[in-house]
Amino acid sequence: MIAALAACGGNSKRVETDLAASNVTTIGINAYLWRASLDTLSFMPMLQTDSAGGVIVTDWYSNPQNPAERMKVTVSILDQDLRADALRVNASREVMSGGQWVGAPVQAATVQKLEDIILTRAREMRRDALMG
């Protein structure tokens, strides 16, 4: 009986099918960051999505509560690992002035908040996949 058990457990290599690893490369970039970015920006119209290059560009979006202001966001996923420095978010803002859209500054806190939301969502997705 001991010999049978030893034969079953003798190979310490465990077959791992950890689809929730931090390094997900099936699309060339981290899939969790990609999906979290799409989820986070889903309320905005998409202009361009390139999963191979890891780029998401939204079209201009105006909040119905504030139609005299609009935003455009670009997300770049720079690495295959789920890390904060693998994500770059850029935002542009315009305000209506004299009947024309005029460029306006975007607060750094706005961009940082978007990055934080995406990273938090990506980590939640990864955790759910590990537990799942």
Side-chain angles (χ1 to χ4, degrees):
M1 187 161 143
I2 293 175
L5 287 174
C8 290
N11 186 354
S12 64
K13 278 189 172 180
R14 193 172 107 189
V15 178
E16 293 192 27
T17 56
D18 182 10
L19 298 177
S22 66
N23 189 5
V24 178
T25 60
T26 57
I27 59 174
I29 55 167
N30 186 277
Y32 298 114
L33 287 173
W34 178 256
R35 285 183 285 163
S37 298
L38 289 174
D39 282 358
T40 301
L41 300 174
S42 64
F43 67 96
M44 299 178 85
M46 297 292 160
L47 192 60
Q48 174 189 358
T49 57
D50 176 10
S51 62
V55 177
I56 299 169
V57 180
T58 70
D59 204 353
W60 290 104
Y61 170 78
S62 292
N63 183 335
Q65 268 46 24
N66 189 8
E69 178 181 343
R70 66 184 188 173
M71 296 281 297
K72 184 175 190 172
V73 177
T74 301
V75 174
S76 301
I77 300 170
L78 308 170
D79 200 342
Q80 296 175 348
D81 291 328
L82 177 51
R83 299 187 328 238
D85 64 350
L87 179 70
R88 182 180 307 141
V89 175
N90 293 311
S92 300
R93 179 175 164 250
E94 291 183 343
V95 294
M96 182 63 74
S97 177
Q100 291 187 337
W101 290 107
V102 178
V106 176
Q107 293 180 0
T110 301
V111 172
Q112 184 62 50
K113 182 68 174 171
L114 271 172
E115 287 180 356
D116 290 345
I117 291 168
I118 293 169
L119 287 165
T120 299
R121 180 70 183 124
R123 289 178 184 127
E124 287 171 357
M125 290 175 157
R126 180 175 184 265
R127 183 191 66 232
D128 291 348
L130 282 171
M131 297 181 81

